[in-house]
Amino acid sequence: MGDNISAGAEDYDFILVGAGSASCLIASRLSQQLPDHRILVLEAGEHYRNDPKVQTPGLSPTLQSDPAYDWGYSTAPEPGLNDKRVKHPRGKLVGGTSAINSHSVVFPNYEWHDRLAGELLSESGRADWSSQGMQDCYSRWQAGSSGPRVNDDVGFLDRVQTSYPPTMDVLQLQWIKAFEELGHATSTTGFAESSAGAVTVTNAIDSSKGERSHAGTAFLEPALKRGNVTLRTGVKVDKIAFDETLTADGKLNAKGIRYTYHGEEHLISARDVILCAGVFESPFILERSGIGSRKVLAAANVPVLYELPGVGENLQDHLNCGLSCETQDDILTRDEGLWDSEMKKAASLEYERSRTGRLAEGPAYSFAFTPLQMLETPSETQQLTEIVKDSVEGETNPSLRAQYSVIQKTIESPSEATATTFLVRSQRHRDTESLPKGTPPFVNGNFVTVIAMLAHPFSRGSCHISSDPSHQPEIKFNYLSHPLDTEILARHLLLIERLFQKPTFTAMTKPQGKRLPRTFPFPVSSLEDAKKILPTNAATNYHPSSTCSMMREDLGGVVDDGLRVYGTKNVRVCDASVLPIIPRGNILTAVYAFAEKAAEMICREVKSSVRLD
């Protein structure tokens, strides 16, 4: 096998790089459906079993930026956000970011899937990736409070537990009412055709225990008990090792993975390699392995094995911006919990005693799918659709033109969200850096905050290997670099302001009450006002995606419709990096569903090759 393979020359059928959300699910499905195959999962972080900080839903903010749990990525200065460096927490533990995120379960829509399949993929992948082909994939990974269902083919499936809030408070109930008042009945919370309106979503919390349910506990723990899955932690993968000769059809054949552990280099061989290292690390590993843009690899002194310019490009994220209003004195919010140490202590005691109370819940359950048409005049809508049409027609890059055409259809549809809007039952500050030093972090009072998250941004960034490959990747999102993002997000701030003026909200808020952000504490009365607020107050929703996009190669894709890296025979990628256009809401549901599809394809392939043999 070659003498540079580490002693013990282990041989696996599959190596999964990373033990994040997608990897844990794939390991679970393969271990169950291919019991005679050996699966190795390599994770650079640790496996925290029964860690109260991870388990307690209300402690998720403390995990982010704690180097024990978070890789602590940060962007280059972002010109569109006043040159701020934006922190991007990613999970440094088994379960990946599903083990440190803030739990909300928000689904994409049918139209998004159908357009990705029809407009960005070759014909062979359209049936698999259409909304119809993906329906089961969105239901298989989760079990609602009613408990898991049985699938006859595979017996009990490992699933993430999801639950609704234990009780609905005034703000959550009024949220639904506010949209009904606009003529939009509550829409469905699951994977479905788009309809405008408010929803109460589930969170990835096991309500029977009051604990976070994440990919590590839901998928990998049961898989490890089956005996055909091995987990190795503290292992940072250097690169994929390829055979020196190409396959008969001219492709690179991966023979395994090189990694360093305690200063020693190892090579583990495998029949198939599946990169699930996340949106920043998967392209980074491909580049270190010699797959990527010639220019990027030359700058890092890496020999090119296959030129694939899309690697690390097309980076997207949900940018959001919100407004807060002070509530009437009889409407309590979560604000006291921000500064009242007695209340914090009481919440901790309640959670310790009964696994209930604030610490047993996630921060956000109240969402709405908001097309701008909901509160715009027809002339405002027409003006925007014309601006978008001109911009898309003027785009000369074929990949962007294809993607922008997909987004254009969303904007023109009166039922599809141009932003996913959500309610937070407390004040929110994103402008602290723009205020005088020593400004208190919070304002006295109870607040309701409504935040618009730009559903499908036009701005594109990149994530690449630097000239020193041992450093973290260089990350640039180029937030608000495309003028349409400013145009659309500013219009959504106006939509929030118009929502605040409707009877449901005016009944809950003080007529002359305090307003946030502190850098603009007034009602937003014009599009110009709204645009000025963005560079100081817009923030990330922590949903980076698309650096190894599943698209046709001529459109700048990195993986094909089987999630195989172009130019390779046996390297796949499956994590948030393969989503070619970011979906409308929190991306974890799509990551799990894409992982379900990956496992389905792999099992189908293995079983058909066995039949051929």
Side-chain angles (χ1 to χ4, degrees):
M1 266 201 186
D3 40 52
N4 56 347
I5 293 179
S6 61
E10 307 148 282
D11 208 345
Y12 290 89
D13 294 290
F14 300 101
I15 292 181
L16 287 154
V17 178
S21 315
S23 173
C24 291
L25 188 152
I26 293 169
S28 153
R29 302 299 185 243
L30 298 186
S31 73
Q32 203 167 19
Q33 293 173 48
L34 303 173
D36 53 344
H37 283 61
R38 297 185 70 212
I39 300 148
L40 174 66
V41 181
L42 297 176
E43 167 56 40
E46 293 307 320
H47 188 13
Y48 295 109
R49 282 189 177 87
N50 307 318
D51 182 320
K53 276 184 91 170
V54 175
Q55 287 170 322
T56 310
L59 293 182
S60 60
T62 65
L63 298 170
Q64 296 160 21
S65 76
D66 180 337
Y69 305 92
D70 172 14
W71 285 110
Y73 294 104
S74 184
T75 68
E78 288 287 345
L81 301 180
N82 294 340
D83 282 335
K84 261 197 294 234
R85 286 182 185 271
V86 178
K87 286 181 179 166
H88 266 273
R90 296 287 93 191
K92 188 183 182 179
L93 68 169
V94 168
T97 306
S98 74
I100 69 166
N101 71 356
S102 53
H103 319 284
S104 300
V105 174
V106 184
F107 286 86
N109 50 315
Y110 282 2
E111 296 90 334
W112 176 74
H113 258 287
D114 288 334
R115 289 184 197 129
L116 297 188
E119 299 180 38
L120 303 180
L121 300 182
S122 51
E123 207 160 328
S124 59
R126 285 177 193 160
D128 263 324
W129 295 102
S130 69
S131 58
Q132 205 176 343
M134 288 299 290
Q135 236 166 334
D136 284 354
C137 297
Y138 278 96
S139 57
R140 274 205 298 265
W141 60 264
Q142 62 156 348
S145 316
S146 55
R149 293 165 307 177
V150 175
N151 177 317
D152 291 334
D153 293 341
V154 289
F156 273 101
L157 282 173
D158 304 330
R159 296 176 188 265
V160 166
Q161 300 296 315
T162 59
S163 58
Y164 287 101
T167 54
M168 297 274 278
D169 68 15
V170 173
L171 287 172
Q172 290 171 322
L173 291 167
Q174 294 300 97
W175 176 252
I176 300 292
K177 191 180 160 199
F179 286 87
E180 286 172 348
E181 185 180 276
L182 297 173
H184 294 282
T186 301
S187 56
T188 176
T189 60
F191 178 53
E193 197 173 346
S194 286
S195 61
V199 288
T200 300
V201 304
T202 58
N203 274 213
I205 293 170
D206 182 342
S207 56
S208 68
K209 302 176 185 168
E211 285 179 6
R212 175 194 291 277
S213 181
H214 66 83
T217 50
F219 300 121
L220 196 60
E221 289 282 356
L224 289 169
K225 293 181 182 133
R226 294 191 186 112
N228 60 340
V229 177
T230 304
L231 168 68
R232 208 165 286 174
T233 57
V235 170
K236 196 96 159 90
V237 165
D238 299 323
K239 59 182 181 180
I240 302 162
F242 290 103
D243 285 337
E244 286 182 18
T245 52
L246 297 177
T247 62
D249 54 356
K251 296 206 163 122
L252 293 164
N253 184 59
K255 59 182 175 182
I257 284 292
R258 286 189 191 283
Y259 71 90
T260 309
Y261 187 69
H262 293 324
E264 273 186 47
E265 282 198 7
H266 299 260
L267 170 62
I268 300 189
S269 60
R271 209 190 63 207
D272 281 280
V273 171
I274 308 165
L275 285 186
C276 304
V279 71
F280 302 136
E281 291 293 332
S282 286
F284 198 35
I285 291 168
L286 286 178
E287 288 178 340
R288 284 204 301 257
S289 309
I291 298 174
S293 144
R294 191 170 290 280
K295 195 173 149 195
V296 169
L297 298 188
N301 284 322
V302 176
V304 179
L305 297 185
Y306 187 79
E307 186 169 6
L308 197 54
V311 173
E313 291 294 317
N314 208 36
L315 177 60
Q316 297 160 51
D317 184 24
H318 285 138
L319 196 66
N320 70 45
C321 198
L323 303 172
S324 305
C325 281
E326 194 175 5
T327 59
Q328 300 278 10
D329 292 336
D330 61 339
I331 294 183
L332 293 180
T333 65
R334 297 297 171 98
D335 281 296
E336 300 97 319
L338 296 171
W339 59 76
D340 186 329
S341 55
E342 288 306 308
M343 193 169 267
K344 283 181 185 169
K345 210 178 291 176
S348 290
L349 283 171
E350 180 181 354
Y351 185 75
E352 276 168 37
R353 199 171 51 243
S354 60
R355 289 288 186 269
T356 58
R358 290 183 175 197
L359 288 179
E361 291 184 34
Y365 293 89
S366 300
F367 284 74
F369 300 119
T370 47
L372 282 168
Q373 289 91 322
M374 190 178 266
L375 278 171
E376 279 197 340
T377 64
S379 67
E380 284 174 318
T381 300
Q382 190 185 348
Q383 182 201 27
L384 178 64
T385 53
E386 282 171 12
I387 295 170
V388 171
K389 184 170 173 279
D390 289 347
S391 177
V392 174
E393 284 174 0
E395 180 54 62
T396 54
N397 176 313
S399 174
L400 291 178
R401 176 130 187 192
Q403 293 180 57
Y404 290 170
S405 156
V406 168
I407 302 172
Q408 180 183 5
K409 293 181 180 80
T410 302
I411 293 165
E412 289 171 355
S413 160
S415 63
E416 291 181 57
T418 37
T420 298
T421 303
F422 58 103
L423 174 104
V424 179
R425 296 167 288 167
S426 61
Q427 58 190 272
R428 180 181 193 254
H429 300 278
R430 291 292 182 266
D431 56 357
T432 312
E433 289 175 26
S434 307
L435 295 163
K437 270 210 179 342
T439 303
F442 305 113
V443 174
N444 282 338
N446 282 304
F447 288 82
V448 58
T449 301
V450 179
I451 299 162
M453 175 170 96
L454 193 58
H456 307 292
F458 284 83
S459 299
R460 295 288 182 271
S462 63
C463 166
H464 288 301
I465 193 169
S466 67
S467 51
D468 182 344
S470 66
H471 288 175
Q472 277 199 341
E474 290 184 345
I475 302 165
K476 295 172 187 163
F477 282 90
N478 302 322
Y479 292 114
L480 299 178
S481 58
H482 196 295
L484 284 176
D485 290 350
T486 297
E487 187 69 34
I488 295 165
L489 193 49
R491 284 165 180 259
H492 274 283
L493 285 183
L494 281 181
L495 186 148
I496 293 169
E497 189 60 66
R498 288 169 185 176
L499 197 61
F500 283 162
Q501 309 305 336
K502 297 288 174 189
T504 305
F505 270 94
T506 53
M508 292 192 294
T509 55
K510 291 184 175 176
Q512 302 301 316
K514 294 175 193 150
R515 300 282 302 239
L516 302 171
R518 287 174 286 188
T519 45
F520 193 92
F522 321 103
V524 180
S525 58
S526 71
L527 199 53
E528 286 317 303
D529 279 352
K531 286 179 181 177
K532 281 180 198 146
I533 291 172
L534 295 178
T536 306
N537 291 281
T540 170
N541 241 95
Y542 307 118
H543 298 157
S545 74
S546 314
T547 48
C548 296
S549 290
M550 177 181 70
M551 288 193 285
R552 299 199 318 263
E553 192 172 2
D554 62 297
L555 290 178
V558 173
V559 299
D560 64 15
D561 49 53
L563 299 177
R564 267 199 191 79
V565 177
Y566 288 114
T568 74
K569 177 188 169 220
N570 57 346
V571 178
R572 280 184 163 97
V573 181
C574 188
D575 52 35
S577 71
V578 301
L579 310 173
I581 293 176
I582 197 167
R584 67 183 179 181
N586 302 33
I587 60 177
L588 187 57
T589 57
V591 171
Y592 282 146
F594 274 57
E596 290 280 15
K597 181 59 74 177
E600 189 184 291
M601 288 171 158
I602 292 164
C603 292
R604 194 162 67 199
E605 212 171 87
V606 169
K607 286 166 184 171
S608 71
S609 72
V610 168
R611 280 197 297 273
L612 289 172
D613 293 347

